[in-house]
Amino acid sequence: MRISPLKAATRILAAVALAALGTTSLTAATAEAQPAPAAAHHGVKPLVHGAAQQQRASTDTLKVGSSASQGVVSPTPKVYLVFWGAQWSSDPAGVATDMQNLFKGLYGAQDTWGTILDQYCEGVAKGTVTCGSKGIHVNHPGSSPLGGVWFDNSAAAPGSATTAQIAAEAGKAAAHFGNTTQTPNLNAQYVVLSPTGTHPDGFPNSGFCAWHDYTTTSYGKLAYTNLPYIPDSGAGACTTFTDGRPLSGIESTETHEYAETVTDFWPSIGWNGGGGEIGDACVQLDAYVPLSTGTFDLQGLWSNSAGKCVTHG
């Protein structure tokens, strides 16, 4: 699901302006990437409260957008949680602990939600809908996909961060975690979590829960997610549940973005269909799923093999 043409056009102009400024090379002193954000975003989960569940039709079948063997999917996903800004000293909903526990448990036999992803692959003909034994498949993690956690409290996060600032924070995170070549960044996704009281990319007035994208840096292309402090929008935002649990919306949203990043790593050469990416087609289906680290609100995903939105593989 794309952003509005007006907003996309605004970001294209911003990207052109950034390009005109040129690119600053890395130095040993800064060890920091200089990103050039893409013009539009992907996997934009709309901000709604308690939407009714519904199953989507088979017209949402996903097709791979490229025959490339890199950047289509993330075969061995690694998630890097970036808690951006000194304001994380205040976390009224307990988001930081919750997000870490989610990814600490999202693997192995107990995680049947994640097994939806391993049917998708890269290195097959453009337009493929069934990988079978061909290509390089997404591997269901045998251990936690949490690659690292960083509380970047060196300064306050912007009150209303721009796309360029969010992308730059992803570049800083890549440096922090030592992912300074393209190879580790073929599986790394940087989740930039903004603190309570902030409005990254206009949240919540922009109408989204979160989005994912990629940015080009001297470390290679970086996949990243803009994840606002969703509990600020109240219980029931960004989830189909109406039980008042404040963390459900951010769990649902991040699993939406995680799955879409895994299956459309550098948008949009990965897996897309009539309803968008793997999570876009299923924003009206959530389930509480028990993992080894707790029970979490995981959003439904489109399964080509099942021909519908599902919450388990």
Side-chain angles (χ1 to χ4, degrees):
M1 189 177 299
R2 302 290 182 89
I3 59 176
S4 68
L6 177 61
K7 197 169 185 182
T10 301
R11 289 195 176 120
I12 290 171
L13 292 173
V16 171
L18 285 170
L21 294 175
T23 301
T24 303
S25 60
L26 290 174
T27 66
T30 62
E32 191 172 300
Q34 302 298 319
H41 302 304
H42 304 265
V44 180
K45 183 171 181 176
L47 201 165
V48 295
H49 287 72
Q53 296 185 16
Q54 73 178 41
Q55 296 293 313
R56 297 293 294 264
S58 59
T59 53
D60 287 327
T61 298
L62 304 180
K63 298 179 181 180
V64 71
S66 171
S67 61
S69 58
Q70 290 186 346
V72 177
V73 302
S74 174
T76 55
K78 286 292 181 185
V79 177
Y80 295 88
L81 298 177
V82 183
F83 296 96
W84 185 17
Q87 301 100 311
W88 276 101
S89 59
S90 175
D91 180 9
V95 165
T97 298
D98 185 65
M99 287 290 101
Q100 293 176 70
N101 285 339
L102 169 62
F103 285 107
K104 286 177 180 178
L106 204 63
Y107 73 94
Q110 189 165 345
D111 170 26
T112 58
W113 177 87
T115 57
I116 302 166
L117 303 175
D118 58 17
Q119 65 186 280
Y120 300 106
C121 68
E122 61 187 12
V124 294
K126 180 179 179 180
T128 294
V129 298
T130 303
C131 292
S133 60
K134 297 179 180 179
I136 303 166
H137 283 245
V138 175
N139 295 299
H140 182 59
S143 59
S144 169
L146 185 59
V149 177
W150 181 33
F151 285 85
D152 180 9
N153 57 11
S154 57
S160 299
T162 64
T163 298
Q165 288 172 317
I166 298 164
E169 183 67 9
K172 287 178 62 179
H176 174 81
F177 292 113
N179 297 335
T180 55
T181 65
Q182 184 67 84
T183 297
N185 287 312
L186 290 174
N187 285 288
Q189 54 178 280
Y190 301 95
V191 181
V192 180
L193 295 105
S194 291
T196 184
T198 60
H199 309 280
D201 195 34
F203 171 86
N205 293 333
S206 297
F208 63 80
C209 301
W211 47 255
H212 75 99
D213 213 324
Y214 75 90
T215 183
T216 301
T217 76
S218 54
Y219 303 155
K221 293 180 179 180
L222 308 181
Y224 73 100
T225 294
N226 170 30
L227 187 59
Y229 200 91
I230 291 170
D232 281 351
S233 292
C238 305
T239 176
T240 61
F241 292 122
T242 57
D243 57 7
R245 182 173 176 268
L247 290 167
S248 293
I250 197 166
E251 292 168 0
S252 175
T253 298
E254 175 47 28
T255 51
H256 172 111
E257 303 299 339
Y258 166 76
E260 291 189 335
T261 303
V262 169
T263 56
D264 193 15
F265 197 61
W266 295 338
S268 53
I269 65 173
W271 293 80
N272 284 268
E277 296 176 314
I278 192 172
D280 293 328
C282 306
V283 294
Q284 293 174 312
L285 176 62
D286 283 72
Y288 282 128
V289 178
L291 301 174
S292 62
T293 51
T295 297
F296 302 90
D297 177 354
L298 308 188
Q299 195 208 276
L301 304 175
W302 181 265
S303 168
N304 277 359
S305 61
K308 62 181 181 180
C309 293
V310 297
T311 55
H312 61 82

